[in-house]
Amino acid sequence: MPDEPTKGPASYFPSIEKRYGRPIAAWQQLVRERLPAKHMDLVAMLKADHGMGHGHANAIVAHVLAAQKS
């Protein structure tokens, strides 16, 4: 059975690593260190402090917050 393509926020991870030069685990840890916080506050932090685009920042934050719930 062929591998299905990655869907959801994780589909952005390869391009995030390539563009910003850090592994996803490092970005996720940076977000976790600022919890508890609102989703959009975390997105704004990644954008302002690290120059990340909105879609990439949103993908990382959404993935971290979803993992926190489960």
Side-chain angles (χ1 to χ4, degrees):
M1 187 156 86
D3 291 335
E4 289 193 30
T6 305
K7 295 181 181 179
S11 67
Y12 287 92
F13 291 176
S15 62
I16 293 169
E17 289 180 332
K18 183 177 179 182
R19 182 164 186 163
Y20 303 105
R22 286 177 143 172
I24 289 301
W27 292 114
Q28 292 171 330
Q29 182 59 35
L30 197 126
V31 169
R32 280 193 293 275
E33 288 170 359
R34 286 161 175 81
L35 292 176
K38 293 182 179 179
H39 180 108
M40 290 310 295
D41 291 341
L42 294 166
V43 169
M45 176 273 300
L46 290 173
K47 290 169 63 175
D49 296 353
H50 301 282
M52 194 170 280
H54 182 83
H56 287 162
N58 190 59
I60 292 170
V61 172
H63 194 267
V64 168
L65 294 180
Q68 295 287 320
K69 289 182 181 179
S70 57

